[in-house]
Amino acid sequence: MRCYVGIDLGSTTTKAVILGDDGGILGRGITNSRSNYDLAAKVAREEAFITARFGLLRQEVEAAAGTELLERLLKAFRMSQTLAQLERTHELIAAEVEHTVAERLRKSTLAVVEDMIRVIADEEVIWFEDPDPPARSDFFRDTAGSAYMRLAEERGDPAGVSFDLLVGLYDKCIIKVENEPLELGFSDHIDAALARIGDPLVVREAVEKAAGTEFDEVSCVGTGYGRARLPFPKEQIRSEILCHGLGAHAMFPDTRTVLDIGGQDTKAIQVDGHGIVTSFQMNDRCAAGCGRYLGYIADEMNIGLHELGPLAQKSTRTVKINSTCTVFAGAELRERLSLGEKRENILAGLHRAIILRAMSLLARSGGIDDEFTFTGGVARNPAAVKALRDLTEENYGDRTLNISADSIYTGALGGALFARREAQGS
Amino acid sequence: MATDSADSVVQKDRSMVLQKNMIAEHFKRLERAPESGEPVVYTFVPGNLTELIRSFDALPLLPEINALQSGMRGKSKDYIAEAERAGHSEDVCTYVKCDIGMLKSGNIGPTGTKLPKPDLLLLSYTGCYTFMKWFELLREEYDCPTVFLQIPYQGDGELEPEHRKYIVDQIEADLIPAMEKISGKKYDEDKLKHHLGLAAEAEDDLVAVLHSAKNRPSPIDSYFGGVYYVGPIFSAFRGTEEGVEYYRELRKEVEARVAAGLGPVTPDGSLDEQDYRLVVEGPPNWTSFREFWRMFSEEKAVVVASTYTKVGGTYDLGFRHDPSDPLGTMADYCGGCYTNLNMPSRIDMLVNYIKDYSADGFVINSVKSCNSFSAGQLMMLREVEKRTGVPGAFIESDLVDPRYFSAANIKNRLESYLQMIDARRQRTAS
Amino acid sequence: MSNRKIIIEWALGVYEDLHFTAARETLSQNPNLKAVGFLPVYAPREVIVASSMLPVGIYGGGDQIEIIRGDAYYQSYICHLPRSVIELAQSDRLDFLSAVLFPSTCDVIRNLSGMWQVMYPDLYVRYLDLPHVRDPEVGGKFWERELRTLIDKLGEVSGHRASDDDLRAAIHLYNEVRWVIRELYRARSAEPWRLPTEELYLLLRAGEVVAPELFLDKARAYLEAIHEDSPPMKDRSRVIVVGTFCEQPPLGLIKTIERAGCWIVDDDLLIGNRMLTRDVQTQGDPVANLAEAFILHSEKTSVLYEPDPDGKKTLMAQRVRAAKADGIIFAAPSFCDPALLDRPMLRSGAEEAGIPCIAFKYAENTGQFQQFREQAGTFSDSIKLWGGS
């Protein structure tokens, strides 16, 4: 099967999208960018191929056994991956204990760790088997990490092993786990997944058929912040500006203006009716007003990044914030708090302030035309979206604002479209 | 206005060797000035009155050139730090801080020779507020007279007759008497006329060189190469025999490249295949000059016209020094330097360059140091795009502060921009 | 309410009104009157008034305006003032102006004049190149010619070309204005608790946008009122605030400095309103008189060349002595070339004279004052402990 790959190497996450000959999306993958760009690109790509295979599988299994069985298989597959990573974490921690922990503590430490890993594995199984599981991060580092911290707090001291030691071990080893090319491939985990759901014959046959299909990768285009580090020849690299424009056009064909707010930068892009960029502006070297700014604020308030937006939405008024400088953000926040201002009202002001920065970039690039598409990590923040909606309305009047649930893949999708466009010579 | 030096020779043409020798000789003379008795006049590139200075047998020294050379030689970071330690704000122009840091670190010039103290600070106030403070600051370090020469800004797009008169009045009332005093010589109008005639001769050849970029391929890069070409005429050699010879030679070489269908010599060799013809507004970054240039040349982008190479005079717009009206022509010269042009005139200049040189695009390099250049460039971007239909790129750096040169950021923008031009071309073609 | 309070309430209302209602009302009451905006630092208001026009100082949007369009025109390393000026213009708050003057304060304001020419082609825009050369025959004559050109041009815009008598009347009026401002400054220096700077500043800010006659009435009334109900005397350090001539600090910063224990007894705030240090002659050629007054008797400021090589060194000690101050606060707007490039020279002169100094930067929309409170408070305490100069 002929296919085309786009990889978007962002500062925080790396995304991959696979397109078929007809331009339809076959698969998508995402992973932490870590410090190893090659590996991140490899993992994201592999994951995209896995979802592509599951895509093929879906048709077969749905016809033969219905969606429910397919969903169970998919979940079982992910669980198998997760358990393998957990096992690897355990191995590394054990080795670390042997090397670094004083002998008198070794035995008790190993016992606590083993106990904790077992509990986490059990909890993972429960989560995966839950038909309606609670929402959580997509990344192993976060899910395993939060369970590990909780357990370390509960079980460390009673067993005479300090919390700090346990956390130190985890922090050291999780980096290695993330930086090792763990075998996440389709064939390695599919058997385990099949076994876990009882190995029904109809599913096995469908699996074998899908597994047998060869993906013929015709071409690949890389993009994103770290694109120059991708192991690709120069001709296969496109600027993320162009990819975002084309990707947004593919998602919403009437798009004329695109705003992307990522971790490190903000981009305002104008595209024509074919998704070709006609003008763009990026924030200057100062990262004021980017996603990173919200990260600082979340740290300062000691809450999770994803909690910021919902908290800001509870505001009763919007406090005027003048500085979107990451350096001053903390000071301004503390001063407002000390004056008795409510957290949610300050947060509403902070969200408005970062969107104001984006508005000036949009104005520089040529304004906001209809339709208007918002992408990037900050597009998932409801308070930022509300501020953008308000300011767009105030300054440009009625505009259709598009936000895709898959907006994080916009750049990778654009890359894959470039790959396909070039290969097909259109 | 790069005027160095063995480590960054980009072309081994005869003109390059000439330039190198001229400059080395000049700095040697400067070093000997305290003994030889030749008076030294510190002044600025925009509005420099080299012919007048030379007519009194005095030597010009240009602190901006020293600052940019310090940037190219990797010294500016320490010099700036030195000045900031002494109380200078991180917000202000880095040329000034670099110059003051150099002074505080022994005042060794770009060719390794010691720089002499000034006998006169000639504050030619031409389109840059910082110039005024720069020499007020230097005045605190040196016990010498300062002449303030106010060049009225072309706020209405031209040097008004009253403004011209004001400049001439100042030259007569303040500058000439000061020059007579420090040199011990009487003002000699014939000698001044002689230098002005030589200036005009070199200016003719420089303009021919600049216009050569209308060819395809362009035989020169009018920005990265351009700063070398304008070096002699912007610094100490306008109105001199050496200057005339340099430009005659340069013109010959460029004409030979046109005949041979060759492009300019870049850090990576001859750029004969040119995919993008660009116009550039704003000064270059000096601390990563070659890296910056390479970002263009690697993409096969050549600069066909730039505004920065006009800060020492807008000869390509028609101005020539005119020996028949020596003081008036110097007033006209000062008034017309690029730094002294108003925003509408700067926009017109870019629009005309894009048309006259058949450019595919234009790049604004906005430097943090220089409000004279930078304040309003985003409006220029918008206006030039509107009037030409050609998209522009906006990148940001600094003159000589390496902290403000982010290679990844600039490369990203430039690449995105050139790819955008490509995508638009393909759209138009299909 | 006391007279003092009534006047300050009025001034606060004018200060906070970014739609310039007071100026608009003056225009609607006088159909032949037109308005001329001018940016900091100095514009010859006499010429504007004599041309049947209302001078309106444009000092930015302070901390009350949300910048949406203004930031689109400026990089992060340029001061805040031009952003809010563009914001005011782009939101139609300056649409009552028939002309705008941009004095040669710095390159940012200079270039803003060209941006105005491009963005508002129907408006009369003039860049005012102030004379730096103090020779009356050279710099004086140049400025005189500039003033005559301005008189012609404003005459074309207003339909009334100022006659010599118009100019003399305007000079007389502004001699009165400057007298009352000097009187206010003198009274504040003598008894600063009676004239806190937050009040004085509001009054003078209002004076920048209302008719000069109205300002004169208010200012005279205020001078009388300060003795009626003055706040109790407080023992505070006496400071001068230097560097605030263009982009204005937020009112909160002025309050913060005083409440942290410093009386401001001299400052650069709105310095254009008292740029000419002496009365301008009303006899003879009024244009020549205005030019001569500027050349020979203008305040020393960072926006003008200092011909005296010792001028920068000695200026701070002179001002401190004249104001009987104990110390200097160098308060510069971020990215302000004139204030920041001047500071090392002024400060070293002050320190050589043994004058205590502190320095900080602000923007017109600075929203947090904690660090200023701490610095100014510590400064005041240390002056009290160790004594001033």
Side-chain angles (χ1 to χ4, degrees):
Chain A
M1 181 180 242
R2 288 161 62 84
C3 67
Y4 309 88
V5 180
I7 295 181
D8 176 4
L9 198 38
S11 59
T12 340
T13 55
T14 295
K15 286 77 62 174
V17 166
I18 300 171
L19 294 182
D21 241 346
D22 59 354
I25 295 175
L26 295 177
R28 279 192 287 247
I30 181 166
T31 185
N32 274 328
S33 289
R34 311 177 177 94
S35 51
N36 185 337
Y37 289 118
D38 284 6
L39 181 67
K42 188 173 171 220
V43 171
R45 171 202 292 265
E46 211 154 291
E47 205 177 292
F49 275 109
I50 292 167
T51 56
R53 285 205 192 275
F54 273 106
L56 295 178
L57 205 65
R58 184 177 292 272
Q59 296 153 14
E60 303 290 336
V61 177
E62 255 185 343
T67 25
E68 202 198 319
L69 214 51
L70 174 70
E71 293 305 324
R72 280 180 57 203
L73 180 70
L74 214 152
K75 267 185 152 185
F77 182 88
R78 299 231 173 255
M79 178 162 69
S80 172
Q81 278 182 323
T82 304
L83 294 176
Q85 280 180 300
L86 195 58
E87 190 44 47
R88 181 65 186 142
T89 310
H90 188 191
E91 273 171 39
L92 287 167
I93 292 179
E96 189 68 24
V97 170
E98 292 296 335
H99 282 110
T100 58
V101 176
E103 199 174 340
R104 61 187 169 80
L105 277 174
R106 249 180 234 162
K107 209 172 145 198
S108 51
T109 309
L110 285 172
V112 175
V113 170
E114 188 175 343
D115 180 40
M116 284 166 54
I117 296 288
R118 187 180 46 74
V119 174
I120 297 171
D122 290 348
E123 286 177 0
E124 285 296 316
V125 172
I126 291 168
W127 190 87
F128 275 107
E129 287 181 349
D130 187 342
D132 185 22
R136 64 177 202 181
S137 164
D138 293 337
F139 300 110
F140 176 73
R141 168 195 261 277
D142 305 335
T143 55
S146 64
Y148 185 95
M149 299 304 151
R150 173 172 48 77
L151 292 167
E153 215 161 343
E154 268 172 38
R155 303 183 182 211
D157 278 348
V161 182
S162 80
F163 174 76
D164 289 345
L165 171 64
L166 289 171
V167 172
L169 287 167
Y170 179 82
D171 284 347
K172 202 155 185 187
C173 296
I174 190 67
I175 296 170
K176 287 191 197 153
V177 173
E178 284 188 320
N179 286 319
E180 275 178 3
L182 256 182
E183 194 45 76
L184 297 175
F186 183 80
S187 51
D188 292 274
H189 295 291
I190 196 70
D191 287 343
L194 272 168
R196 198 170 283 279
I197 65 166
D199 204 5
L201 187 63
V202 276
V203 181
R204 173 163 288 280
E205 279 172 0
V207 166
E208 276 163 7
K209 197 169 171 192
T213 305
E214 288 290 321
F215 284 108
D216 172 18
E217 184 181 320
V218 181
S219 64
C220 175
V221 161
T223 185
Y225 193 76
R227 64 178 181 276
R229 312 273 297 266
L230 284 174
F232 295 168
K234 195 161 175 275
E235 309 78 69
Q236 288 179 16
I237 294 180
R238 284 289 174 290
S239 128
E240 73 256 39
I241 301 280
L242 270 77
C243 291
H244 262 88
L246 193 57
H249 168 77
M251 287 173 170
F252 303 100
D254 292 327
T255 295
R256 288 296 178 275
T257 303
V258 184
L259 172 67
D260 177 80
I261 308 184
Q264 292 289 354
D265 57 22
T266 303
K267 303 182 264 282
I269 305 168
Q270 310 288 337
V271 294
D272 67 11
H274 303 268
I276 299 302
V277 175
T278 54
S279 135
F280 70 90
Q281 285 287 326
M282 295 167 76
N283 61 301
D284 51 33
R285 59 184 286 287
C286 148
C290 299
R292 180 55 59 89
Y293 171 77
L294 287 176
Y296 282 119
I297 297 300
D299 288 349
E300 193 70 39
M301 287 193 165
N302 207 11
I303 58 176
L305 186 56
H306 60 281
E307 295 171 81
L308 276 183
L311 189 55
Q313 284 190 302
K314 293 185 186 144
S315 65
T316 47
R317 63 185 216 98
T318 302
V319 172
K320 205 169 156 302
I321 301 287
N322 291 323
S323 172
T324 47
C325 174
T326 45
V327 181
F328 294 125
E332 179 144 9
L333 184 69
R334 283 191 295 275
E335 179 156 344
R336 303 274 178 185
L337 284 170
S338 73
L339 293 172
E341 197 57 71
K342 285 199 176 118
R343 281 206 308 185
E344 50 267 35
N345 294 344
I346 302 172
L347 278 179
L350 289 165
H351 282 83
R352 188 169 171 94
I354 78 160
I355 297 299
L356 277 170
R357 295 274 305 189
M359 292 301 285
S360 75
L361 280 182
L362 283 160
R364 281 184 203 178
S365 78
I368 298 177
D369 215 338
D370 211 20
E371 294 175 3
F372 176 31
T373 300
F374 184 21
T375 67
V378 178
R380 292 200 258 183
N381 176 321
V385 172
K386 181 182 181 298
L388 183 62
R389 238 182 248 289
D390 292 349
L391 279 162
T392 304
E393 167 89 34
E394 285 164 30
N395 291 284
Y396 295 93
D398 192 25
R399 292 283 183 269
T400 302
L401 178 63
N402 304 313
I403 298 170
S404 162
D406 296 324
S407 85
I408 196 156
Y409 293 103
T410 309
L413 172 61
L417 286 164
F418 271 115
R420 176 170 164 271
R421 193 178 269 199
E422 241 125 87
Q424 296 183 343
S426 61
Chain B
M1 284 169 282
T3 49
D4 65 345
S5 81
D7 59 333
S8 59
V9 168
V10 292
Q11 43 182 332
K12 297 190 176 64
D13 294 327
R14 183 165 171 265
S15 66
M16 203 66 203
V17 178
L18 274 178
Q19 178 170 152
K20 196 185 149 197
N21 293 342
M22 281 155 73
I23 286 158
E25 189 51 43
H26 183 64
F27 277 99
K28 270 189 227 153
R29 255 177 95 177
L30 282 169
E31 189 181 31
R32 287 196 305 265
E35 292 87 55
S36 70
E38 285 180 297
V40 175
V41 177
Y42 282 23
T43 194
F44 294 107
V45 169
N48 74 76
L49 298 180
T50 304
E51 297 82 1
L52 186 72
I53 295 169
R54 294 276 187 183
S55 78
F56 284 96
D57 295 321
L59 298 174
L61 188 150
L62 299 120
E64 296 140 287
I65 306 265
N66 296 341
L68 78 85
Q69 293 284 357
S70 296
M72 287 182 112
R73 290 180 303 132
K75 305 254 187 198
S76 55
K77 185 171 171 240
D78 291 343
Y79 290 162
I80 291 167
E82 179 80 37
E84 288 182 358
R85 270 197 298 278
H88 289 266
S89 168
E90 64 188 54
D91 289 358
V92 301
C93 173
T94 54
Y95 269 179
V96 180
K97 288 185 284 188
C98 185
D99 188 41
I100 286 174
M102 183 179 82
L103 178 65
K104 289 185 186 298
S105 317
N107 225 13
I108 301 299
T111 56
T113 59
K114 179 138 176 85
L115 298 174
K117 289 180 176 173
D119 296 290
L120 178 73
L121 291 167
L122 168 47
L123 206 179
S124 168
Y125 189 58
T126 310
C128 164
Y129 170 85
T130 300
F131 284 170
M132 179 160 83
K133 296 292 139 185
W134 193 336
F135 273 15
E136 282 180 354
L137 282 158
L138 282 193
R139 188 176 63 187
E140 311 236 306
E141 310 285 338
Y142 298 115
D143 183 25
C144 77
T146 308
V147 170
F148 186 97
L149 179 64
Q150 180 175 8
I151 310 301
Y153 182 67
Q154 297 198 0
D156 283 341
E158 56 180 5
L159 190 72
E160 292 162 26
E162 296 83 19
H163 295 165
R164 192 173 190 265
K165 178 173 164 37
Y166 182 37
I167 302 171
V168 171
D169 285 353
Q170 293 175 76
I171 295 175
E172 283 178 329
D174 301 333
L175 181 54
I176 289 178
M179 287 300 304
E180 287 178 334
K181 202 168 167 197
I182 62 157
S183 67
K185 292 184 173 138
K186 287 301 285 176
Y187 167 60
D188 179 346
E189 192 175 271
D190 288 336
K191 198 165 174 193
L192 174 61
K193 283 179 174 175
H194 168 69
H195 286 298
L196 291 168
L198 292 175
E201 220 180 309
E203 287 156 9
D204 279 339
D205 286 335
L206 170 66
V207 169
V209 168
L210 295 172
H211 282 164
S212 75
K214 289 178 182 170
N215 289 287
R216 280 175 192 267
S218 167
I220 62 166
D221 184 291
S222 253
Y223 187 54
F224 298 105
V227 298
Y228 288 90
Y229 302 148
V230 297
I233 211 164
F234 278 16
S235 56
F237 300 99
R238 201 183 59 218
T240 66
E241 303 281 1
E242 301 101 299
V244 169
E245 188 192 354
Y246 170 80
Y247 285 100
R248 192 186 302 130
E249 190 62 27
L250 178 66
R251 181 177 182 170
K252 245 178 16 203
E253 289 163 6
V254 169
E255 281 169 354
R257 282 214 291 278
V258 173
L262 293 176
V265 180
T266 75
D268 297 313
S270 187
L271 183 67
D272 303 332
E273 203 183 310
Q274 300 171 354
D275 287 349
Y276 311 95
R277 296 168 61 83
L278 301 176
V279 169
V280 175
E281 144 76 16
N285 165 275
W286 299 108
T287 50
S288 302
F289 183 79
R290 287 161 73 82
E291 188 180 1
F292 192 28
W293 187 351
R294 198 168 270 146
M295 287 181 198
F296 286 71
S297 59
E298 276 177 351
E299 300 290 332
K300 301 194 174 89
V302 67
V303 181
V304 288
S306 69
T307 53
Y308 177 67
T309 49
K310 315 299 150 51
V311 295
T314 46
Y315 309 109
D316 63 331
L317 302 188
F319 171 80
R320 286 295 177 282
H321 278 93
D322 175 8
S324 71
D325 177 13
L327 302 192
T329 200
M330 292 197 294
D332 290 336
Y333 160 73
C334 294
C337 288
Y338 185 71
T339 49
N340 207 46
L341 304 186
N342 73 354
M343 298 304 278
S345 305
R346 289 172 62 188
I347 291 168
D348 286 346
M349 201 160 151
L350 282 174
V351 167
N352 291 335
Y353 279 165
I354 289 167
K355 288 180 185 155
D356 297 347
Y357 289 82
S358 319
D360 303 304
F362 68 101
V363 176
I364 295 179
N365 181 39
S366 177
V367 295
K368 171 185 172 281
S369 272
C370 186
N371 285 339
S372 173
F373 261 104
S374 303
Q377 278 175 329
L378 282 159
M379 191 241 3
M380 291 173 75
L381 174 80
R382 203 181 275 202
E383 278 301 306
V384 174
E385 283 183 340
K386 202 165 81 188
R387 282 174 51 185
T388 59
V390 170
F394 200 79
I395 54 183
E396 290 168 276
S397 65
D398 187 46
L399 297 169
V400 290
D401 191 339
R403 292 172 296 184
Y404 289 91
F405 186 84
S406 162
N409 190 309
I410 293 172
K411 200 170 160 61
N412 188 8
R413 286 185 199 204
L414 200 61
E415 274 179 20
S416 299
Y417 174 67
L418 297 176
Q419 288 178 16
M420 177 176 93
I421 292 181
D422 260 349
R424 283 166 62 124
R425 272 184 193 154
Q426 282 167 18
R427 267 274 307 126
T428 334
S430 67
Chain C
M1 217 183 330
S2 69
N3 279 344
R4 169 203 286 270
K5 239 184 163 163
I6 291 168
I7 295 164
I8 295 307
E9 289 280 301
W10 166 81
L12 179 66
V14 174
Y15 165 75
E16 286 181 339
D17 176 14
L18 294 177
H19 285 92
F20 299 89
T21 311
R24 286 171 194 270
E25 277 170 3
T26 310
L27 293 185
S28 62
Q29 286 154 11
N30 304 276
N32 293 326
L33 197 65
K34 288 190 169 151
V36 180
F38 62 88
L39 275 91
V41 170
Y42 173 77
R45 298 155 206 234
E46 295 85 347
V47 170
I48 299 172
V49 167
S51 306
S52 281
M53 299 175 103
L54 174 70
V56 179
I58 307 297
Y59 286 91
D63 56 0
Q64 291 308 309
I65 193 170
E66 198 169 62
I67 307 294
I68 295 167
R69 304 158 189 88
D71 272 345
Y73 290 89
Y74 286 104
Q75 303 89 323
S76 57
Y77 47 77
I78 287 174
C79 63
H80 202 271
L81 177 87
R83 304 164 200 273
S84 64
V85 171
I86 286 193
E87 193 68 37
L88 289 171
Q90 296 272 71
S91 56
D92 302 331
R93 288 169 165 109
L94 300 180
D95 58 3
F96 64 103
L97 300 177
S98 303
V100 187
L101 308 180
F102 296 83
S104 56
T105 299
C106 71
D107 293 341
V108 173
I109 288 186
R110 182 196 74 184
N111 287 4
L112 189 58
S113 72
M115 292 169 71
W116 231 259
Q117 288 166 333
V118 172
M119 291 161 70
Y120 302 100
D122 298 334
L123 214 60
Y124 178 67
V125 170
R126 185 157 184 88
Y127 176 69
L128 287 179
D129 226 336
L130 302 177
H132 294 281
V133 174
R134 303 304 170 83
D135 176 348
E137 283 308 305
V138 181
K141 292 287 176 219
F142 161 72
W143 186 231
E144 196 182 315
R145 293 192 296 266
E146 287 295 289
L147 290 174
R148 291 193 199 284
T149 307
L150 184 65
I151 289 165
D152 290 343
K153 296 290 181 180
L154 290 185
E156 285 168 23
V157 177
S158 75
H160 173 88
R161 192 187 179 286
S163 68
D164 280 1
D165 282 340
D166 294 330
L167 286 160
R168 286 187 195 105
I171 287 170
H172 177 73
L173 176 64
Y174 275 98
N175 281 341
E176 292 291 300
V177 168
R178 282 186 290 268
W179 175 83
V180 82
I181 293 172
R182 278 198 297 273
E183 203 49 32
L184 287 163
Y185 268 66
R186 194 196 54 72
R188 180 184 62 171
S189 177
E191 298 176 303
W193 59 93
R194 288 190 198 277
L195 261 107
T197 300
E198 66 171 278
E199 288 190 7
L200 175 61
Y201 177 70
L202 283 173
L203 181 63
L204 297 182
R205 262 306 277 274
E208 295 295 294
V209 297
V210 301
E213 296 86 352
L214 176 59
F215 167 71
L216 262 181
D217 288 349
K218 299 283 183 188
R220 285 180 181 135
Y222 181 76
L223 259 178
E224 279 175 28
I226 56 169
H227 291 283
E228 288 169 14
D229 66 331
S230 68
M233 182 183 157
K234 283 198 184 98
D235 180 29
R236 290 179 179 171
S237 304
R238 296 167 60 91
V239 301
I240 66 176
V241 175
V242 175
T244 55
F245 42 83
C246 181
E247 179 175 327
Q248 297 293 294
L251 195 58
L253 178 53
I254 295 172
K255 290 183 191 175
T256 298
I257 291 172
E258 291 204 318
R259 287 175 197 177
C262 299
W263 290 124
I264 299 172
V265 291
D266 187 20
D267 59 58
D268 285 348
L269 296 159
L270 308 169
I271 200 167
N273 67 12
R274 54 193 183 283
M275 191 72 181
L276 307 183
T277 55
R278 295 191 193 172
D279 280 357
V280 182
Q281 289 289 318
T282 46
Q283 308 298 312
D285 181 344
V287 183
N289 291 344
L290 270 176
E292 190 195 70
F294 187 89
I295 288 289
L296 298 178
H297 309 295
S298 49
E299 287 281 357
K300 286 182 182 290
T301 147
S302 308
V303 304
L304 292 175
Y305 176 64
E306 172 54 66
D308 173 8
D310 286 326
K312 293 287 174 194
K313 243 174 266 170
T314 53
L315 180 60
M316 290 296 100
Q318 282 168 17
R319 283 183 67 177
V320 162
R321 238 187 341 265
K324 298 189 181 66
D326 305 312
I328 302 169
I329 294 180
F330 289 99
S334 289
F335 302 108
C336 174
D337 279 345
L340 291 169
L341 284 162
D342 238 12
R343 191 150 91 183
M345 291 184 272
L346 298 177
R347 187 170 183 165
S348 71
E351 285 174 347
E352 270 169 40
I355 302 165
C357 304
I358 55 167
F360 50 67
K361 291 189 288 187
Y362 64 87
E364 59 173 345
N365 68 337
T366 295
Q368 52 190 65
F369 302 111
Q370 184 57 34
Q371 53 147 329
F372 304 124
R373 191 154 37 239
E374 278 167 21
Q375 276 198 70
T378 312
F379 187 55
S380 168
D381 290 347
S382 72
I383 286 173
K384 278 187 220 145
L385 266 175
W386 308 113
S389 56

